[in-house]
Amino acid sequence: MNINSLRMAFLLPIVFSLFSTAAFAKDTYDLNNFFHLNSLCDGWAYKDSDSYICLGSFRATDANIILDSGSTVWADRLFQFTRVEFRSSDITLESHDRGTYEFSELILPGSIDITGTLSLLSSFIDGDIDAAYSITMSNSTVGGDVNASKLTLNNSGIAGSVEVDFEMDIDNSTIDGSAEGSKLTLNNSGIAGSVEVDFEMDIDNSTID
């Protein structure tokens, strides 16, 4: 299977999922509205220049979120999103809590910078993802680079490059850029860029260009 066929294999269910996300997201929150911002934060929340600060966990379900383009949403604790679309551009989600962040059917035109573990299901992230611990992606697409301690991809795609400290477990997925880690398992997948692995590579029915 060539890399173009692989892209089609995972893109079709992702596109379907994104249409489903749009259908479910019914509540609209404008973070420039003090009451809307605080309704999504389980602690105190406020706006400071180009940042929206949540002194707690920031959570939303079935929601469209409006905010200033180029801004940052900063949470003192975790982010949790289910069927959520951010309707601005160049957004950054940032948190230094070392817990687990669970994003399901999230559309984010921006980047994620967290000090924890990330689970990404049926989501589209337009920018980069940086996580201190592991990242697990299923039926999801990332438009930028991915950095983590460990990466697991299932039926997903990364348009940029990948750099991890330990294992990369790639199944039915594609990476358009380079990939670097200590161990690589590649099954029914493709990597378009260079690959640098410190120890072991296990490649089955896959391509490295």
Side-chain angles (χ1 to χ4, degrees):
M1 181 179 290
N2 63 38
I3 196 165
N4 289 324
S5 298
L6 286 168
R7 286 195 184 98
M8 290 302 298
F10 73 75
L11 279 176
L12 288 176
I14 292 170
V15 169
F16 175 78
S17 174
L18 294 184
F19 278 112
S20 298
T21 301
F24 274 100
K26 55 183 179 297
D27 297 323
T28 297
Y29 298 87
D30 185 347
L31 298 192
N32 291 302
N33 181 308
F34 173 83
F35 298 101
H36 288 193
L37 176 60
N38 274 270
S39 69
L40 298 178
C41 176
D42 63 9
W44 178 256
Y46 61 95
K47 184 180 181 183
D48 181 13
S49 185
D50 60 353
S51 296
Y52 302 89
I53 310 296
C54 170
L55 300 178
S57 292
F58 191 95
R59 297 185 173 94
T61 299
D62 294 333
N64 298 317
I65 298 178
I66 299 169
L67 66 168
D68 295 341
S69 294
S71 60
T72 297
V73 182
W74 187 90
D76 185 47
R77 298 188 65 192
L78 300 174
F79 290 107
Q80 303 284 344
F81 297 121
T82 302
R83 296 182 297 277
V84 170
E85 179 178 357
F86 282 81
R87 294 194 167 181
S88 299
S89 61
D90 195 23
I91 303 304
T92 300
L93 302 181
E94 183 177 352
S95 176
H96 300 296
D97 190 281
R98 297 186 180 185
T100 299
Y101 300 74
E102 297 179 346
F103 300 160
S104 176
E105 298 180 56
L106 170 66
I107 300 176
L108 176 69
S111 300
I112 298 171
D113 184 359
I114 59 172
T115 311
T117 298
L118 175 62
S119 173
L120 201 63
L121 173 64
S122 301
S123 297
F124 173 74
I125 311 301
D126 187 47
D128 302 330
I129 299 180
D130 286 283
Y133 300 131
S134 66
I135 296 175
T136 300
M137 290 174 49
S138 180
N139 297 308
S140 297
T141 299
V142 174
D145 299 330
V146 172
N147 295 282
S149 65
K150 180 181 178 181
L151 177 66
T152 301
L153 293 184
N154 179 37
N155 198 40
S156 295
I158 295 172
S161 296
V162 169
E163 183 175 349
V164 302
D165 298 322
F166 303 109
E167 298 93 345
M168 296 177 286
D169 190 353
I170 316 298
D171 183 52
N172 194 37
S173 300
T174 63
I175 298 171
D176 287 351
S178 60
E180 179 180 345
S182 64
K183 180 181 178 181
L184 172 64
T185 300
L186 200 64
N187 178 55
N188 197 35
S189 299
I191 299 176
S194 61
V195 173
E196 183 177 340
V197 175
D198 296 329
F199 299 111
E200 179 183 350
M201 285 199 297
D202 184 2
I203 300 175
D204 183 28
N205 192 32
S206 300
T207 60
I208 298 176
D209 293 349

